[in-house]
PDB file of all heavy atoms in Angstrom:
ATOM      1  N   GLY A   1       0.777  -1.215   0.021  1.00  0.00           N
ATOM      2  CA  GLY A   1      -0.012  -0.011   0.018  1.00  0.00           C
ATOM      3  C   GLY A   1       0.821   1.216   0.021  1.00  0.00           C
ATOM      4  O   GLY A   1       0.527   2.251  -0.696  1.00  0.00           O
ATOM      5  N   GLY A   2       1.915   1.323   0.767  1.00  0.00           N
ATOM      6  CA  GLY A   2       2.843   2.423   0.737  1.00  0.00           C
ATOM      7  C   GLY A   2       3.491   2.603  -0.577  1.00  0.00           C
ATOM      8  O   GLY A   2       3.628   3.783  -1.065  1.00  0.00           O
ATOM      9  N   PHE A   3       3.867   1.559  -1.187  1.00  0.00           N
ATOM     10  CA  PHE A   3       4.544   1.649  -2.494  1.00  0.00           C
ATOM     11  C   PHE A   3       3.486   2.209  -3.510  1.00  0.00           C
ATOM     12  O   PHE A   3       3.824   3.128  -4.274  1.00  0.00           O
ATOM     13  CB  PHE A   3       5.019   0.265  -3.034  1.00  0.00           C
ATOM     14  CG  PHE A   3       5.439   0.248  -4.427  1.00  0.00           C
ATOM     15  CD1 PHE A   3       6.675   0.791  -4.800  1.00  0.00           C
ATOM     16  CD2 PHE A   3       4.601  -0.224  -5.476  1.00  0.00           C
ATOM     17  CE1 PHE A   3       7.090   0.782  -6.127  1.00  0.00           C
ATOM     18  CE2 PHE A   3       5.036  -0.145  -6.811  1.00  0.00           C
ATOM     19  CZ  PHE A   3       6.248   0.314  -7.111  1.00  0.00           C
ATOM     20  N   PHE A   4       2.295   1.709  -3.522  1.00  0.00           N
ATOM     21  CA  PHE A   4       1.285   2.236  -4.397  1.00  0.00           C
ATOM     22  C   PHE A   4       1.018   3.716  -4.153  1.00  0.00           C
ATOM     23  O   PHE A   4       0.869   4.422  -5.101  1.00  0.00           O
ATOM     24  CB  PHE A   4       0.013   1.393  -4.242  1.00  0.00           C
ATOM     25  CG  PHE A   4      -1.134   1.911  -5.090  1.00  0.00           C
ATOM     26  CD1 PHE A   4      -1.120   1.688  -6.451  1.00  0.00           C
ATOM     27  CD2 PHE A   4      -2.185   2.649  -4.613  1.00  0.00           C
ATOM     28  CE1 PHE A   4      -2.122   2.190  -7.290  1.00  0.00           C
ATOM     29  CE2 PHE A   4      -3.161   3.164  -5.365  1.00  0.00           C
ATOM     30  CZ  PHE A   4      -3.173   2.911  -6.759  1.00  0.00           C
ATOM     31  N   ALA A   5       0.923   4.132  -2.919  1.00  0.00           N
ATOM     32  CA  ALA A   5       0.640   5.467  -2.601  1.00  0.00           C
ATOM     33  C   ALA A   5       1.727   6.449  -3.070  1.00  0.00           C
ATOM     34  O   ALA A   5       1.407   7.481  -3.650  1.00  0.00           O
ATOM     35  CB  ALA A   5       0.455   5.686  -1.116  1.00  0.00           C
ATOM     36  N   VAL A   6       3.005   6.025  -2.908  1.00  0.00           N
ATOM     37  CA  VAL A   6       4.089   6.891  -3.412  1.00  0.00           C
ATOM     38  C   VAL A   6       4.172   6.865  -4.940  1.00  0.00           C
ATOM     39  O   VAL A   6       4.361   7.854  -5.575  1.00  0.00           O
ATOM     40  CB  VAL A   6       5.438   6.422  -2.749  1.00  0.00           C
ATOM     41  CG1 VAL A   6       6.616   7.118  -3.369  1.00  0.00           C
ATOM     42  CG2 VAL A   6       5.383   6.655  -1.222  1.00  0.00           C
ATOM     43  N   TYR A   7       4.106   5.648  -5.478  1.00  0.00           N
ATOM     44  CA  TYR A   7       4.198   5.512  -6.934  1.00  0.00           C
ATOM     45  C   TYR A   7       3.112   6.289  -7.696  1.00  0.00           C
ATOM     46  O   TYR A   7       3.374   6.887  -8.711  1.00  0.00           O
ATOM     47  CB  TYR A   7       4.153   4.001  -7.265  1.00  0.00           C
ATOM     48  CG  TYR A   7       4.392   3.795  -8.773  1.00  0.00           C
ATOM     49  CD1 TYR A   7       5.639   3.819  -9.297  1.00  0.00           C
ATOM     50  CD2 TYR A   7       3.329   3.406  -9.574  1.00  0.00           C
ATOM     51  CE1 TYR A   7       5.847   3.613 -10.642  1.00  0.00           C
ATOM     52  CE2 TYR A   7       3.530   3.130 -10.920  1.00  0.00           C
ATOM     53  CZ  TYR A   7       4.772   3.234 -11.438  1.00  0.00           C
ATOM     54  OH  TYR A   7       4.944   3.005 -12.800  1.00  0.00           O
ATOM     55  N   SER A   8       1.892   6.251  -7.186  1.00  0.00           N
ATOM     56  CA  SER A   8       0.812   6.877  -7.866  1.00  0.00           C
ATOM     57  C   SER A   8       0.725   8.408  -7.556  1.00  0.00           C
ATOM     58  O   SER A   8      -0.042   9.108  -8.203  1.00  0.00           O
ATOM     59  CB  SER A   8      -0.530   6.262  -7.474  1.00  0.00           C
ATOM     60  OG  SER A   8      -0.760   6.332  -6.095  1.00  0.00           O
ATOM     61  N   GLY A   9       1.499   8.885  -6.586  1.00  0.00           N
ATOM     62  CA  GLY A   9       1.554  10.334  -6.401  1.00  0.00           C
ATOM     63  C   GLY A   9       0.652  10.784  -5.232  1.00  0.00           C
ATOM     64  O   GLY A   9       0.484  11.955  -5.020  1.00  0.00           O
ATOM     65  N   TYR A  10      -0.021   9.854  -4.544  1.00  0.00           N
ATOM     66  CA  TYR A  10      -0.821  10.329  -3.418  1.00  0.00           C
ATOM     67  C   TYR A  10      -0.025  10.759  -2.179  1.00  0.00           C
ATOM     68  O   TYR A  10      -0.517  11.468  -1.413  1.00  0.00           O
ATOM     69  CB  TYR A  10      -1.754   9.174  -2.933  1.00  0.00           C
ATOM     70  CG  TYR A  10      -2.777   8.814  -4.108  1.00  0.00           C
ATOM     71  CD1 TYR A  10      -2.867   7.512  -4.589  1.00  0.00           C
ATOM     72  CD2 TYR A  10      -3.742   9.741  -4.528  1.00  0.00           C
ATOM     73  CE1 TYR A  10      -3.780   7.204  -5.625  1.00  0.00           C
ATOM     74  CE2 TYR A  10      -4.603   9.435  -5.524  1.00  0.00           C
ATOM     75  CZ  TYR A  10      -4.639   8.175  -6.066  1.00  0.00           C
ATOM     76  OH  TYR A  10      -5.553   7.838  -6.997  1.00  0.00           O
ATOM     77  N   LEU A  11       1.192  10.339  -2.138  1.00  0.00           N
ATOM     78  CA  LEU A  11       2.037  10.564  -0.980  1.00  0.00           C
ATOM     79  C   LEU A  11       3.326  11.217  -1.533  1.00  0.00           C
ATOM     80  O   LEU A  11       3.821  10.778  -2.570  1.00  0.00           O
ATOM     81  CB  LEU A  11       2.299   9.315  -0.238  1.00  0.00           C
ATOM     82  CG  LEU A  11       2.799   9.326   1.123  1.00  0.00           C
ATOM     83  CD1 LEU A  11       1.776  10.056   2.016  1.00  0.00           C
ATOM     84  CD2 LEU A  11       3.055   7.981   1.699  1.00  0.00           C
ATOM     85  N   LEU A  12       3.858  12.132  -0.794  1.00  0.00           N
ATOM     86  CA  LEU A  12       5.178  12.769  -1.195  1.00  0.00           C
ATOM     87  C   LEU A  12       5.090  13.440  -2.498  1.00  0.00           C
ATOM     88  O   LEU A  12       6.025  13.251  -3.346  1.00  0.00           O
ATOM     89  CB  LEU A  12       6.327  11.716  -1.123  1.00  0.00           C
ATOM     90  CG  LEU A  12       6.587  11.047   0.183  1.00  0.00           C
ATOM     91  CD1 LEU A  12       7.679   9.971   0.006  1.00  0.00           C
ATOM     92  CD2 LEU A  12       6.984  12.034   1.238  1.00  0.00           C
ATOM     93  N   GLY A  13       4.142  14.263  -2.792  1.00  0.00           N
ATOM     94  CA  GLY A  13       4.112  14.920  -4.079  1.00  0.00           C
ATOM     95  C   GLY A  13       2.770  15.253  -4.448  1.00  0.00           C
ATOM     96  O   GLY A  13       2.609  15.814  -5.546  1.00  0.00           O
ATOM     97  N   GLY A  14       1.797  14.956  -3.704  1.00  0.00           N
ATOM     98  CA  GLY A  14       0.415  15.298  -4.043  1.00  0.00           C
ATOM     99  C   GLY A  14      -0.117  14.417  -5.184  1.00  0.00           C
ATOM    100  O   GLY A  14       0.580  13.511  -5.639  1.00  0.00           O
ATOM    101  N   THR A  15      -1.261  14.771  -5.693  1.00  0.00           N
ATOM    102  CA  THR A  15      -1.773  14.044  -6.822  1.00  0.00           C
ATOM    103  C   THR A  15      -1.250  14.672  -8.085  1.00  0.00           C
ATOM    104  O   THR A  15      -1.294  15.891  -8.292  1.00  0.00           O
ATOM    105  CB  THR A  15      -3.305  14.079  -6.815  1.00  0.00           C
ATOM    106  OG1 THR A  15      -3.725  15.419  -6.803  1.00  0.00           O
ATOM    107  CG2 THR A  15      -3.837  13.367  -5.576  1.00  0.00           C
ATOM    108  N   GLN A  16      -0.687  13.901  -8.973  1.00  0.00           N
ATOM    109  CA  GLN A  16      -0.133  14.356 -10.218  1.00  0.00           C
ATOM    110  C   GLN A  16      -0.721  13.559 -11.333  1.00  0.00           C
ATOM    111  O   GLN A  16      -0.961  12.318 -11.182  1.00  0.00           O
ATOM    112  CB  GLN A  16       1.406  14.188 -10.278  1.00  0.00           C
ATOM    113  CG  GLN A  16       2.119  14.981  -9.299  1.00  0.00           C
ATOM    114  CD  GLN A  16       3.655  14.758  -9.408  1.00  0.00           C
ATOM    115  OE1 GLN A  16       3.996  13.786 -10.006  1.00  0.00           O
ATOM    116  NE2 GLN A  16       4.432  15.646  -8.838  1.00  0.00           N
ATOM    117  N   SER A  17      -0.971  14.142 -12.436  1.00  0.00           N
ATOM    118  CA  SER A  17      -1.369  13.378 -13.631  1.00  0.00           C
ATOM    119  C   SER A  17      -0.230  12.857 -14.347  1.00  0.00           C
ATOM    120  O   SER A  17       0.973  13.237 -14.080  1.00  0.00           O
ATOM    121  CB  SER A  17      -2.165  14.303 -14.581  1.00  0.00           C
ATOM    122  OG  SER A  17      -1.351  15.286 -15.075  1.00  0.00           O
ATOM    123  N   ALA A  18      -0.437  11.971 -15.261  1.00  0.00           N
ATOM    124  CA  ALA A  18       0.585  11.346 -16.040  1.00  0.00           C
ATOM    125  C   ALA A  18       1.361  12.391 -16.847  1.00  0.00           C
ATOM    126  O   ALA A  18       2.590  12.317 -17.099  1.00  0.00           O
ATOM    127  CB  ALA A  18       0.117  10.154 -16.836  1.00  0.00           C
ATOM    128  N   ALA A  19       0.596  13.372 -17.358  1.00  0.00           N
ATOM    129  CA  ALA A  19       1.163  14.377 -18.225  1.00  0.00           C
ATOM    130  C   ALA A  19       2.163  15.224 -17.483  1.00  0.00           C
ATOM    131  O   ALA A  19       3.263  15.549 -17.938  1.00  0.00           O
ATOM    132  CB  ALA A  19       0.114  15.308 -18.863  1.00  0.00           C
ATOM    133  N   SER A  20       1.821  15.574 -16.189  1.00  0.00           N
ATOM    134  CA  SER A  20       2.768  16.429 -15.459  1.00  0.00           C
ATOM    135  C   SER A  20       3.992  15.631 -14.982  1.00  0.00           C
ATOM    136  O   SER A  20       5.076  16.173 -14.910  1.00  0.00           O
ATOM    137  CB  SER A  20       2.082  17.032 -14.217  1.00  0.00           C
ATOM    138  OG  SER A  20       1.679  15.993 -13.332  1.00  0.00           O
ATOM    139  N   THR A  21       3.840  14.356 -14.784  1.00  0.00           N
ATOM    140  CA  THR A  21       4.943  13.529 -14.433  1.00  0.00           C
ATOM    141  C   THR A  21       5.942  13.439 -15.595  1.00  0.00           C
ATOM    142  O   THR A  21       7.155  13.494 -15.406  1.00  0.00           O
ATOM    143  CB  THR A  21       4.517  12.112 -14.046  1.00  0.00           C
ATOM    144  OG1 THR A  21       3.535  12.255 -12.973  1.00  0.00           O
ATOM    145  CG2 THR A  21       5.726  11.304 -13.546  1.00  0.00           C
ATOM    146  N   GLU A  22       5.422  13.286 -16.826  1.00  0.00           N
ATOM    147  CA  GLU A  22       6.277  13.255 -18.009  1.00  0.00           C
ATOM    148  C   GLU A  22       7.027  14.541 -18.211  1.00  0.00           C
ATOM    149  O   GLU A  22       8.148  14.562 -18.553  1.00  0.00           O
ATOM    150  CB  GLU A  22       5.447  12.903 -19.241  1.00  0.00           C
ATOM    151  CG  GLU A  22       5.040  11.411 -19.244  1.00  0.00           C
ATOM    152  CD  GLU A  22       4.126  11.136 -20.418  1.00  0.00           C
ATOM    153  OE1 GLU A  22       4.022  12.026 -21.336  1.00  0.00           O
ATOM    154  OE2 GLU A  22       3.481  10.062 -20.427  1.00  0.00           O
ATOM    155  N   SER A  23       6.359  15.645 -17.999  1.00  0.00           N
ATOM    156  CA  SER A  23       7.021  16.928 -18.165  1.00  0.00           C
ATOM    157  C   SER A  23       8.071  17.216 -17.140  1.00  0.00           C
ATOM    158  O   SER A  23       9.049  17.869 -17.418  1.00  0.00           O
ATOM    159  CB  SER A  23       6.000  18.115 -18.213  1.00  0.00           C
ATOM    160  OG  SER A  23       5.442  18.209 -16.901  1.00  0.00           O
ATOM    161  N   ASP A  24       7.897  16.654 -15.962  1.00  0.00           N
ATOM    162  CA  ASP A  24       8.882  16.739 -14.907  1.00  0.00           C
ATOM    163  C   ASP A  24      10.143  16.027 -15.234  1.00  0.00           C
ATOM    164  O   ASP A  24      11.234  16.475 -15.003  1.00  0.00           O
ATOM    165  CB  ASP A  24       8.350  16.241 -13.560  1.00  0.00           C
ATOM    166  CG  ASP A  24       7.298  17.190 -12.931  1.00  0.00           C
ATOM    167  OD1 ASP A  24       7.184  18.373 -13.385  1.00  0.00           O
ATOM    168  OD2 ASP A  24       6.560  16.751 -12.011  1.00  0.00           O
ATOM    169  N   THR A  25       9.966  14.835 -15.838  1.00  0.00           N
ATOM    170  CA  THR A  25      11.144  14.037 -16.204  1.00  0.00           C
ATOM    171  C   THR A  25      11.925  14.712 -17.362  1.00  0.00           C
ATOM    172  O   THR A  25      13.131  14.564 -17.430  1.00  0.00           O
ATOM    173  CB  THR A  25      10.789  12.602 -16.545  1.00  0.00           C
ATOM    174  OG1 THR A  25       9.853  12.595 -17.589  1.00  0.00           O
ATOM    175  CG2 THR A  25      10.298  11.883 -15.376  1.00  0.00           C
ATOM    176  N   ASP A  26      11.226  15.450 -18.258  1.00  0.00           N
ATOM    177  CA  ASP A  26      11.862  16.157 -19.300  1.00  0.00           C
ATOM    178  C   ASP A  26      12.809  17.253 -18.750  1.00  0.00           C
ATOM    179  O   ASP A  26      13.803  17.518 -19.304  1.00  0.00           O
ATOM    180  CB  ASP A  26      10.828  16.771 -20.258  1.00  0.00           C
ATOM    181  CG  ASP A  26      10.108  15.728 -21.072  1.00  0.00           C
ATOM    182  OD1 ASP A  26      10.637  14.573 -21.162  1.00  0.00           O
ATOM    183  OD2 ASP A  26       9.035  16.026 -21.625  1.00  0.00           O
ATOM    184  N   SER A  27      12.408  17.916 -17.650  1.00  0.00           N
ATOM    185  CA  SER A  27      13.240  18.948 -17.104  1.00  0.00           C
ATOM    186  C   SER A  27      14.511  18.394 -16.491  1.00  0.00           C
ATOM    187  O   SER A  27      15.507  19.094 -16.410  1.00  0.00           O
ATOM    188  CB  SER A  27      12.442  19.756 -16.039  1.00  0.00           C
ATOM    189  OG  SER A  27      12.197  18.864 -14.933  1.00  0.00           O
ATOM    190  N   TYR A  28      14.524  17.132 -16.122  1.00  0.00           N
ATOM    191  CA  TYR A  28      15.750  16.535 -15.593  1.00  0.00           C
ATOM    192  C   TYR A  28      16.717  16.233 -16.706  1.00  0.00           C
ATOM    193  O   TYR A  28      17.876  16.129 -16.434  1.00  0.00           O
ATOM    194  CB  TYR A  28      15.458  15.267 -14.774  1.00  0.00           C
ATOM    195  CG  TYR A  28      14.673  15.497 -13.511  1.00  0.00           C
ATOM    196  CD1 TYR A  28      13.488  14.868 -13.277  1.00  0.00           C
ATOM    197  CD2 TYR A  28      15.142  16.376 -12.580  1.00  0.00           C
ATOM    198  CE1 TYR A  28      12.777  15.098 -12.093  1.00  0.00           C
ATOM    199  CE2 TYR A  28      14.504  16.597 -11.368  1.00  0.00           C
ATOM    200  CZ  TYR A  28      13.311  15.943 -11.193  1.00  0.00           C
ATOM    201  OH  TYR A  28      12.613  16.179 -10.001  1.00  0.00           O
ATOM    202  N   ASP A  29      16.240  16.031 -17.938  1.00  0.00           N
ATOM    203  CA  ASP A  29      17.121  15.748 -19.027  1.00  0.00           C
ATOM    204  C   ASP A  29      17.915  16.959 -19.492  1.00  0.00           C
ATOM    205  O   ASP A  29      18.973  16.708 -20.142  1.00  0.00           O
ATOM    206  CB  ASP A  29      16.286  15.170 -20.196  1.00  0.00           C
ATOM    207  CG  ASP A  29      15.664  13.840 -19.846  1.00  0.00           C
ATOM    208  OD1 ASP A  29      16.117  13.142 -18.956  1.00  0.00           O
ATOM    209  OD2 ASP A  29      14.682  13.500 -20.606  1.00  0.00           O
ATOM    210  N   ALA A  30      17.509  18.129 -19.183  1.00  0.00           N
ATOM    211  CA  ALA A  30      18.232  19.307 -19.592  1.00  0.00           C
ATOM    212  C   ALA A  30      19.507  19.465 -18.768  1.00  0.00           C
ATOM    213  O   ALA A  30      19.439  19.520 -17.542  1.00  0.00           O
ATOM    214  CB  ALA A  30      17.361  20.560 -19.497  1.00  0.00           C
ATOM    215  N   LEU A  31      20.625  19.556 -19.469  1.00  0.00           N
ATOM    216  CA  LEU A  31      21.903  19.725 -18.740  1.00  0.00           C
ATOM    217  C   LEU A  31      22.151  21.217 -18.519  1.00  0.00           C
ATOM    218  O   LEU A  31      21.810  22.031 -19.297  1.00  0.00           O
ATOM    219  CB  LEU A  31      22.995  19.077 -19.541  1.00  0.00           C
ATOM    220  CG  LEU A  31      22.971  17.596 -19.687  1.00  0.00           C
ATOM    221  CD1 LEU A  31      24.028  17.120 -20.621  1.00  0.00           C
ATOM    222  CD2 LEU A  31      23.062  16.914 -18.379  1.00  0.00           C
ATOM    223  N   PRO A  32      22.917  21.608 -17.502  1.00  0.00           N
ATOM    224  CA  PRO A  32      23.203  22.978 -17.261  1.00  0.00           C
ATOM    225  C   PRO A  32      24.144  23.497 -18.330  1.00  0.00           C
ATOM    226  O   PRO A  32      24.933  22.668 -18.877  1.00  0.00           O
ATOM    227  CB  PRO A  32      23.846  22.983 -15.858  1.00  0.00           C
ATOM    228  CG  PRO A  32      24.298  21.606 -15.631  1.00  0.00           C
ATOM    229  CD  PRO A  32      23.356  20.684 -16.388  1.00  0.00           C
TER     230      PRO A  32
END
């Protein structure tokens, strides 16, 4: 249950949609 809550975004990050999660990972790909 804890894994599911963190993985799905209910815990430690609020509720996020799949689109916002994908855009967040794109920002990590940009190098300084």
Side-chain angles (χ1 to χ4, degrees):
F3 172 78
F4 176 75
V6 172
Y7 184 75
S8 62
Y10 292 121
L11 197 62
L12 300 177
T15 56
Q16 296 179 343
S17 66
S20 67
T21 305
E22 288 175 12
S23 66
D24 289 344
T25 57
D26 290 342
S27 66
Y28 292 124
D29 293 340
L31 294 174

